[in-house]
Structures are given as structure tokens and as C-alpha cells.
């Protein structure tokens, strides 16, 4: 594939300075100072990247709900690509009779030790969480998309899933029946189709998943659901 060759060429160029010999004949290590640790920020051309419909510019935070949670009862679960995930027990929230996942864009892989906190908690990242919430609300009618309970700032509340597809594949793929494999594939396709059915300005898809991997499919109520856009 020509595109694969282009990507390979780019990778080879990026690593072309690794282990170069210096004047003394020893291998020269690549300088991995601040420059090669610079985090790549999303670049948006505001002149050409414009919303197609009014709903894409809206914001509907439920900050009171977030602030009323019993924060002392949060239990850490894991860190993902952009979020730290905590569990909120149903006995410690007033809003739902189920456990919730408290997603906080905080100590992510791309930000840890690379960007000062002041640059993490900015309008751009709040916009990322807001867009995620807007898309989730548009998919609330689909049984193949994870519901949203609320959000505020860099925090999102969603139902706590029974599992993640990546864990199922890693831990019990050999024991998984062909029926369940086909079921998961069908449900994953339904979730992506629901996402691509969101219209704006008469066009669909108006939204695509920014990180579509097996880590973004959650098992809840016996069904695979797409989430974390």
C-alpha cells in the first residue's frame, strides 16, 4: 500500500539519528531532551473548520451533579489514554441506582511530565470533553452506545461498565465461542453505524471516532457499547 510506504519512510526518517557513531567510534545516543518530548497539540483552522449546525456549538454541563458527589468515596480504577477513571458506588450518589465511572482528564499518557498543568486545564481540552458529551447525548437512543449521565469541565460521568472488550480479548479470547465473537463484531458495527448516522447540516457522518480501538468498546448489560469518543 503506498500510504503504508509513506508512513514507513516517515518513521525511518524520524529514527535516522538513533545510535549514530560519534568521532570516537562509540555509538551516539539520540538526544531526547525537551524538543523530542514536545507534545503535539491539535491544530484547528478556525476559518475553514466551522460548525454545520447550532447543536455542535452548545454546552450542557451538569456541574451541580458532579459537585454533589461524595468525592471521598471515589475508588481509582485505571488510567487510559486521556483520562483517569474512578468508580462511584451507587450508594454514594443521589442520581442513579447504579455504579458510575468518573472520567477525569488529568494524568494522561500524553500529558504526564510533558505539559504543565496550566496547559492541560484549558479551553481546548474542556472543548474535547464537551464534544464527547454532545456526541454521547446524540447517541442516547442507541443500545450500542454507552450512555452519559453528566459532565462538567474535564469530568464526565457514565455508567460503570461490566468490562472492556480489550480485557476480554486479552484474558479469555481462546475460550470465547464463535457465536460471541460474531455477536461482538455485530454489536461493534452497530455502534460505529450509530455514530456515523449523526447528521449536521444535512450531512452524515458529522462525527467520527477519534480513537477507535478495542479499548473503546465496553460490555454492559450483556451487550457491547461504543464510547469515549
Amino acid at each position: 500500500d503506498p500510504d503504508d510506504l509513506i508512513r514507513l519512510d516517515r518513521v525511518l526518517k524520524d529514527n535516522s539519528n538513533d545510535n549514530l557513531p560519534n568521532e570516537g567510534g562509540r555509538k551516539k545516543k539520540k538526544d531526547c531532551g525537551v524538543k523530542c518530548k514536545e507534545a503535539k497539540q491539535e491544530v484547528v483552522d478556525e476559518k475553514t473548520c466551522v460548525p454545520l449546525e447550532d447543536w455542535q456549538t452548545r454546552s450542557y454541563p451538569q456541574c451541580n451533579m458532579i459537585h454533589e458527589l461524595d468525592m471521598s468515596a471515589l475508588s481509582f480504577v485505571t488510567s487510559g489514554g486521556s483520562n483517569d477513571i474512578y468508580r462511584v458506588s451507587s450508594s454514594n450518589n443521589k442520581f442513579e441506582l447504579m455504579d458510575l465511572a468518573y472520567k477525569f482528564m488529568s494524568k494522561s499518557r500524553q500529558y504526564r511530565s510533558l505539559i504543565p498543568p496550566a496547559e492541560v486545564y484549558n479551553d481546548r481540552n474542556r472543548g474535547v470533553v464537551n464534544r464527547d458529551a454532545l456526541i454521547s447525548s446524540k447517541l442516547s437512543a442507541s443500545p450500542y452506545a454507552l450512555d452519559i449521565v453528566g459532565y462538567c469541565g474535564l469530568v464526565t460521568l457514565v455508567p460503570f461498565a461490566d468490562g472492556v472488550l480489550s480485557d476480554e480479548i486479552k484474558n479469555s479470547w481462546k475460550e470465547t465461542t464463535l457465536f460471541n465473537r460474531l455477536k461482538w463484531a455485530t454489536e461493534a458495527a452497530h455502534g460505529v453505524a450509530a455514530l456515523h448516522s449523526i447528521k449536521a447540516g444535512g450531512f452524515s457522518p458529522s462525527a467520527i471516532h477519534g480513537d477507535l480501538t478495542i479499548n473503546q468498546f465496553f460490555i454492559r448489560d450483556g451487550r457491547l457499547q461504543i464510547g469515549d469518543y
Side-chain angles (χ1 to χ4, degrees):
D1 189 318
D3 290 336
D4 288 336
L5 292 176
I6 292 172
R7 283 191 287 270
L8 177 59
D9 181 66
R10 193 173 297 145
V11 170
L12 291 174
K13 287 180 180 178
D14 290 343
N15 292 290
S16 60
N17 291 325
D18 285 349
N19 299 322
L20 293 177
N22 61 14
E23 292 80 359
R26 295 182 180 180
K27 288 184 177 180
K28 182 180 179 181
K29 293 183 179 180
K30 184 179 179 181
D31 179 15
C32 281
V34 176
K35 288 185 178 180
C36 69
K37 286 188 175 181
E38 275 184 6
K40 295 180 179 179
Q41 295 288 349
E42 178 184 12
V43 178
V44 178
D45 186 346
E46 296 183 356
K47 294 181 179 179
T48 58
C49 184
V50 295
L52 297 174
E53 285 192 8
D54 184 59
W55 68 263
Q56 294 177 318
T57 67
R58 296 289 183 174
S59 178
Y60 305 97
Q62 295 86 28
C63 294
N64 286 347
M65 175 188 296
I66 307 295
H67 295 162
E68 290 177 18
L69 289 172
D70 182 0
M71 303 298 289
S72 65
L74 294 183
S75 56
F76 178 76
V77 178
T78 187
S79 289
S82 296
N83 302 292
D84 285 344
I85 311 297
Y86 298 83
R87 186 169 188 162
V88 185
S89 172
S90 58
S91 61
N92 292 302
N93 73 80
K94 306 173 184 178
F95 318 105
E96 300 286 342
L97 298 177
M98 60 181 173
D99 289 358
L100 302 175
Y102 180 102
K103 300 197 306 178
F104 182 30
M105 184 184 280
S106 175
K107 250 169 58 174
S108 68
R109 293 172 187 164
Q110 54 262 54
Y111 295 142
R112 189 181 296 126
S113 302
L114 302 184
I115 301 179
E119 294 185 29
V120 176
Y121 309 117
N122 55 29
D123 289 340
R124 173 192 173 276
N125 290 331
R126 282 189 287 271
V128 170
V129 175
N130 183 65
R131 287 195 297 273
D132 190 274
L134 285 173
I135 292 172
S136 294
S137 66
K138 285 289 183 180
L139 294 175
S140 59
S142 173
Y144 303 102
L146 194 65
D147 289 334
I148 182 170
V149 177
Y151 86 99
C152 177
L154 300 181
V155 173
T156 307
L157 277 181
V158 298
F160 195 86
D162 302 320
V164 183
L165 180 58
S166 57
D167 291 339
E168 294 294 323
I169 291 177
K170 179 180 178 181
N171 299 326
S172 57
W173 182 248
K174 291 183 179 180
E175 292 76 30
T176 304
T177 64
L178 291 177
F179 174 82
N180 273 342
R181 294 182 187 184
L182 179 59
K183 176 176 177 291
W184 286 343
T186 303
E187 291 169 346
H190 277 301
V192 174
L195 173 64
H196 290 174
S197 69
I198 300 176
K199 291 185 178 181
F203 297 97
S204 69
S206 66
I208 59 173
H209 204 295
D211 184 26
L212 191 60
T213 70
I214 54 178
N215 294 313
Q216 316 305 340
F217 288 96
F218 304 90
I219 299 171
R220 185 166 176 268
D221 297 333
R223 181 186 290 117
L224 212 63
Q225 296 182 326
I226 193 172
D228 199 10
Y229 312 101

